[in-house]
Amino acid sequence: MTHGSSTPHQQPASGKIDTSVPHSARIWNYWMGGKDNYEVDRVAGDQYREVAPTIEVMARASRAYLIRTVTHVAGEAGIRQFLDIGTGLPTYDNTHQVAQRIAPEARIVYVDNDPLVLRHAQALLTSTPEGVTDYIDADLHDPEKILQAASKTLDFSRPVALMLMGILGHIQDYDEARAIVRRLQEALPPGSYFVHYDSTDTDQALKQAQQGYDDTGAVPYVLRSPEQVARFYDGLELIEPGIVSCPLWRPEPPDAPVEKTDVYGGVARKL
């Protein structure tokens, strides 16, 4: 389960919003306390939570992780360009808000292929006057289209932060997922960053809940092992503390007690 939704067949080709099937971005919004969801999403979200009660903690921990990682990349690392693929529905402290608080001139390109997400993006993802916020209607399965469209806003001769937050599980085939990640990373110049997380197969209840969700007819999400997740970082320089359960990635404050969740991620630099 993921907040992202840059996946095929998520909605009818007409672009109309299908409210008959639960939708990962809307369920994630529900777990985060948002209002942009339908009855079918709330039912599916409640069923998921009954089997895996930690899912709401995971959802909030994932957002807190996004805030900390973007803060680091825009702050200490000095990155001013962000490509956030599978952004999901806008909630609080979205990528551009976090980045532009630190660097008002930051340029952010969001990518999704869901009409509900894109509609909300147009309304809510507004930039600072100095920066740029853009959104692309594209599918993660088509990295060439994403890179071509993003190049109209981002300068790929300068460092970019590539963000794949909770989205790669929607690519069913592991080799294809790795090939897509590799292609996107290849397009980045040295000094760029890869920021990522995905839910893992490290909890039996979560695996059971995910199977129940997949059986609803919604777009499935593959829970992978931490070892499989780690291969997405091949060839990059991992930033401390490496690939860890998201709450363990540089918690704020540093001595805060943290509880591991079954969402793993990391930040890595392209050399």
Side-chain angles (χ1 to χ4, degrees):
M1 172 58 66
T2 170
H3 77 285
S5 58
S6 188
T7 52
H9 317 307
Q10 189 86 17
Q11 297 290 351
S14 65
K16 291 181 180 173
I17 294 165
D18 183 359
T19 61
S20 66
V21 177
H23 184 290
S24 62
R26 298 192 309 245
I27 296 172
W28 203 256
N29 176 269
Y30 171 54
W31 286 329
M32 301 262 285
K35 305 277 192 292
D36 300 308
N37 46 74
Y38 296 102
E39 180 66 20
V40 66
D41 307 308
R42 294 187 284 274
V43 169
D46 290 343
Q47 289 172 343
Y48 200 109
R49 186 174 48 203
E50 282 173 23
V51 180
T54 60
I55 190 62
E56 282 190 357
V57 174
M58 288 173 58
R60 293 184 168 91
S62 301
R63 178 52 53 131
Y65 169 78
L66 180 149
I67 294 166
R68 295 197 307 279
T69 53
V70 173
T71 297
H72 171 78
V73 171
E76 287 181 53
I79 299 297
R80 296 294 177 262
Q81 303 188 104
F82 295 79
L83 178 58
D84 185 346
I85 303 175
T87 177
L89 285 163
T91 51
Y92 57 88
D93 278 343
N94 304 287
T95 298
H96 74 288
Q97 293 165 317
V98 179
Q100 290 182 344
R101 273 203 297 268
I102 295 165
E105 73 276 20
R107 304 169 80 86
I108 294 87
V109 173
Y110 291 105
V111 181
D112 215 295
N113 72 332
D114 178 82
L116 183 71
V117 170
L118 293 166
R119 187 180 302 171
H120 282 264
Q122 289 170 327
L124 298 176
L125 302 184
T126 53
S127 176
T128 57
E130 306 95 316
V132 176
T133 301
D134 199 6
Y135 37 85
I136 297 168
D137 181 1
D139 191 297
L140 183 55
H141 284 82
D142 191 354
E144 300 302 332
K145 178 181 176 182
I146 289 172
L147 292 168
Q148 184 179 5
S151 68
K152 296 173 183 172
T153 301
L154 305 179
D155 177 0
F156 280 96
S157 70
R158 295 170 54 233
V160 175
L162 167 66
M163 299 176 58
L164 295 173
M165 308 294 257
I167 188 68
L168 290 172
H170 279 317
I171 307 294
Q172 300 297 291
D173 183 84
Y174 181 55
D175 290 337
E176 183 186 5
R178 286 190 62 202
I180 289 169
V181 172
R182 201 159 49 240
R183 176 65 191 101
L184 291 168
Q185 291 170 348
E186 282 170 359
L188 307 177
S192 293
Y193 281 78
F194 176 53
V195 187
H196 158 266
Y197 74 75
D198 266 302
S199 300
T200 54
D201 64 358
T202 40
D203 179 69
Q204 191 57 43
L206 189 69
K207 287 163 72 173
Q208 185 181 340
Q210 187 62 50
Q211 187 58 56
Y213 172 82
D214 293 347
D215 289 345
T216 64
V219 173
Y221 182 88
V222 179
L223 298 172
R224 296 191 167 108
S225 69
E227 293 76 23
Q228 287 178 307
V229 167
R231 298 302 303 275
F232 294 132
Y233 297 78
D234 283 358
L236 304 178
E237 178 187 57
L238 278 164
I239 306 301
E240 285 293 328
I243 302 162
V244 294
S245 176
C246 286
L248 303 180
W249 199 93
R250 304 194 178 196
E252 291 286 345
D255 57 354
V258 291
E259 191 174 338
K260 289 175 68 174
T261 67
D262 299 284
V263 181
Y264 280 65
V267 177
R269 186 169 179 267
K270 182 173 179 179
L271 298 173

